[in-house]
Amino acid sequence: MTSWLTRKLQNLTTGSGEPSSGYSEVINDLQREFNVSSEKLREIADGLKCEMRKGLEQTGQTVAMVPSYVTGRPDGKEQGRYLALDLGGTNLRVCEVHLSGDGKVSMKQQKYTISQELQTGPVRDLFDYMATCIDKYVTEHSSMETRELPATKLGFTFSFPVLQTALDRGTLIHWTKGFNCSGVEGKDIVELLRDALSRKNVPVEVLALVNDTVGTLISQGYKDPNTLLGVILGTGTNGAYFEKISNIKKLTNTSLNPDDTMVINMEWGAFDNERRVLPVTMFDNKLDRKSVNPRKQTFEKLVSGMYLGEISRNVILHLIDRNILFDGYSSADLNKMWSFETGYMSIIENDKSADLTETQHILENTLSLPKTSLEERRIVKKIVELVGTRAARLAAAAFVGVTEHCNSVEKGCSIGIDGSLYHHYPGFRERVRAAMRELLGEKAENIKLTEASDGSGIGAAIIACLANKA
Ligand code: BGC
């Protein structure tokens, strides 16, 4: 059977190996769908600013703007050894952080996998597992070789939306990123961990509950005092920034100094769940319906690493069903949800070979598709570029929204960014930069983007140390 594309190409190909006009017709349609114009970016940045103001006024808003109860900034004199437990993506990390009191930090860590069953089973099993991992770490990996006692005070990085009522208290708003454990409704997250630790007889004290963005902001702020915003662009996405307490109208705790600052965990992943401004396509809707949290985390589902591969898969399947790709045939592997990993997108974007051999390897060997043509591989590469570019541009709109909200564009600031998407996706940061320039012109140069690796664990330890002294 000859596909629509093959027929078109037979008619149109120039023989030069250059994309034919059949190719451009398909691409043009997709380009229109995934394009985020400068005007749209402006609308999105302004929309986010508006939602930020709403979230600061009242609880229960779409962009939750959660007060973290982390006030002020560390000054580098913090000292001691602290544990950090980091739950939020595909791995659980137990970290041991050494703060030496002169602004220097060192860290050891151990990663543990969290099975699919634990991610979606009873919450007690998940917390018991975490307590066991802490116990294992403390007995096997802690600094015993230095004859020091194991660190026993812990900051808990819990990277999900939590309605915090104190530094060590808060309830889950809802799960995100593929987690969907039962039995967590109305329960205090820190209490759940403390109970699990005591069930397992692990003598560790939980001092603080910290979102990963808050940890990233604090650890980056430790290195660069000009840091305004901490961002995660990984499995999920979110940002945390310093807000003046007097602007957090919904805070009723009058003992706080209104002129101090508090870190706000924005939870921007939920931005535009109402779908007023974001350019949601049918490919995104397909993903959303099948996700564990339909109609939630709309912004996150267009931007973060967990979802980009799946959106691309939906586009590829659509073109297969229209008989435009692979003679209308998919493979059992490609038909599986999540089979087109975001990591493949990085490889495909990096594939500069004339024949797109890396792309061919992924399609034919990893995903078992029958023989692919160069034109088909070019289309797949283009799909990936469109999905990846849209994500970067939307992230840029959020960066601009927050910096404008804080009046920091003129005076300048730094944004500390952690997460696999930002670290490893080729061209992501350049695309972010380009979109920021479209929005801010030359003033975009006042905003420094910095890599903030491993910030969430270190930040949680610094916050635990501050809490220990309070
Ligand atoms: C969560 C945030 C978290 C972000 C990055 C989102 O799904 O809601 O709390 O900061 O992922 O890990």
Side-chain angles (χ1 to χ4, degrees):
M1 190 170 65
T2 319
S3 76
W4 174 90
L5 178 69
T6 322
R7 270 184 271 120
K8 256 207 143 108
L9 292 176
Q10 276 162 357
N11 293 338
L12 298 167
T13 206
T14 57
S16 64
E18 286 304 306
S20 64
S21 55
Y23 166 93
S24 25
E25 209 173 292
V26 176
I27 295 307
N28 284 345
D29 283 351
L30 289 174
Q31 215 141 17
R32 261 191 298 277
E33 290 237 48
F34 282 91
N35 178 41
V36 192
S37 65
S38 306
E39 297 72 41
K40 191 71 184 166
L41 284 177
R42 174 40 66 201
E43 246 186 88
I44 294 167
D46 289 347
L48 180 65
K49 282 192 276 180
C50 177
E51 292 300 316
M52 287 174 76
R53 289 191 294 271
K54 281 195 207 160
L56 289 172
E57 299 252 328
Q58 275 182 348
T59 39
Q61 300 302 299
T62 309
V63 178
M65 303 295 281
V66 182
S68 67
Y69 295 87
V70 175
T71 50
R73 299 175 190 235
D75 59 10
K77 300 210 175 80
E78 294 71 23
Q79 228 176 339
R81 280 187 312 118
Y82 289 85
L83 290 170
L85 176 70
D86 192 343
L87 175 77
T90 31
N91 287 310
L92 174 74
R93 289 192 306 154
V94 182
C95 318
E96 188 181 3
V97 180
H98 184 212
L99 307 168
S100 33
D102 51 4
K104 296 215 179 82
V105 185
S106 58
M107 181 176 84
K108 293 200 299 181
Q109 60 167 316
Q110 192 63 29
K111 283 188 185 167
Y112 305 88
T113 337
I114 306 194
S115 67
Q116 193 64 33
E117 291 76 57
L118 283 176
Q119 290 186 30
T120 52
V123 78
R124 188 182 159 121
D125 294 354
L126 176 66
F127 278 71
D128 277 351
Y129 176 70
M130 292 198 284
T132 309
C133 292
I134 297 172
D135 193 28
K136 244 200 208 153
Y137 181 87
V138 171
T139 41
E140 290 170 15
H141 299 279
S142 190
S143 308
M144 297 306 274
E145 66 272 18
T146 60
R147 301 200 182 285
E148 284 172 312
L149 290 172
T152 56
K153 313 250 188 218
L154 179 139
F156 182 18
T157 308
F158 184 73
S159 308
F160 299 95
V162 166
L163 187 62
Q164 247 175 292
T165 48
L167 189 58
D168 64 346
R169 230 175 304 142
T171 47
L172 182 73
I173 301 174
H174 53 75
W175 289 109
T176 59
K177 298 179 286 199
F179 278 71
N180 201 11
C181 296
S182 56
V184 72
E185 297 75 20
K187 298 208 178 114
D188 188 292
I189 297 298
V190 175
E191 280 313 309
L192 283 172
L193 183 60
R194 284 180 181 148
D195 289 350
L197 289 167
S198 88
R199 273 197 297 278
K200 303 269 169 197
N201 288 318
V202 187
V204 162
E205 197 185 340
V206 188
L207 296 180
L209 179 62
V210 181
N211 186 265
D212 50 356
T213 54
V214 178
T216 302
L217 176 65
I218 291 297
S219 74
Q220 195 55 30
Y222 204 65
K223 294 189 210 150
D224 173 1
N226 210 21
T227 307
L228 171 77
L229 174 64
V231 170
I232 301 289
L233 280 165
T235 309
T237 185
N238 188 15
Y241 73 103
F242 291 105
E243 182 61 272
K244 202 167 164 205
I245 289 180
S246 59
N247 290 340
I248 316 171
K249 303 275 189 278
K250 65 185 173 185
L251 265 188
T252 45
N253 185 337
T254 47
S255 68
L256 296 165
N257 179 350
D259 293 326
D260 272 354
T261 56
M262 185 186 280
V263 176
I264 294 288
N265 162 21
M266 292 178 59
E267 289 298 337
W268 74 29
F271 171 53
D272 204 33
N273 279 347
E274 303 80 2
R275 298 166 180 229
R276 293 196 193 108
V277 287
L278 289 176
V280 180
T281 67
M282 66 178 182
F283 310 108
D284 303 299
N285 280 325
K286 188 170 168 204
L287 176 152
D288 183 55
R289 271 191 207 104
K290 293 198 171 158
S291 67
V292 296
N293 52 355
R295 298 302 288 207
K296 298 218 167 87
Q297 301 296 100
T298 302
F299 183 72
E300 176 162 272
K301 284 176 181 157
L302 304 188
V303 171
S304 76
M306 173 162 174
Y307 303 103
L308 301 187
E310 181 61 13
I311 301 168
S312 306
R313 190 183 76 97
N314 285 342
V315 181
I316 296 170
L317 288 179
H318 176 73
L319 294 194
I320 292 174
D321 291 346
R322 285 177 60 199
N323 223 15
I324 290 171
L325 281 178
F326 317 135
D327 280 337
Y329 283 92
S330 181
S331 66
D333 288 326
L334 187 65
N335 283 341
K336 282 195 208 112
M337 197 170 174
W338 309 115
S339 62
F340 195 88
E341 295 175 13
T342 304
Y344 303 162
M345 295 175 70
S346 296
I347 298 171
I348 293 172
E349 289 246 24
N350 244 344
D351 188 357
K352 305 284 185 279
S353 63
D355 289 344
L356 297 182
T357 36
E358 297 283 327
T359 310
Q360 182 171 22
H361 180 79
I362 289 174
L363 295 174
E364 296 179 14
N365 299 67
T366 315
L367 294 165
S368 319
L369 284 157
K371 209 166 164 27
T372 60
S373 71
L374 179 57
E375 276 71 21
E376 288 171 325
R377 298 197 286 276
R378 281 203 179 115
I379 292 184
V380 170
K381 187 171 164 74
K382 193 68 199 179
I383 291 170
V384 161
E385 267 170 36
L386 290 175
V387 174
T389 303
R390 184 185 66 168
R393 291 173 70 76
L394 294 177
F399 294 3
V400 169
V402 180
T403 38
E404 286 182 345
H405 168 90
C406 298
N407 298 319
S408 296
V409 177
E410 301 285 339
K411 60 177 186 258
C413 63
S414 301
I415 301 180
I417 309 160
D418 199 359
S420 48
L421 194 62
Y422 192 74
H423 293 320
H424 304 307
Y425 195 100
F428 200 87
R429 62 196 67 189
E430 289 76 12
R431 292 170 189 173
V432 168
R433 270 255 152 252
M436 287 176 73
R437 253 178 258 122
E438 283 173 39
L439 283 170
L440 300 174
E442 280 176 8
K443 288 186 192 140
E445 305 313 318
N446 299 347
I447 301 167
K448 203 168 124 201
L449 304 181
T450 40
E451 293 220 16
S453 300
D454 287 332
S456 53
I458 294 172
I462 296 172
I463 294 166
C465 175
L466 293 172
N468 197 29
K469 296 219 177 90

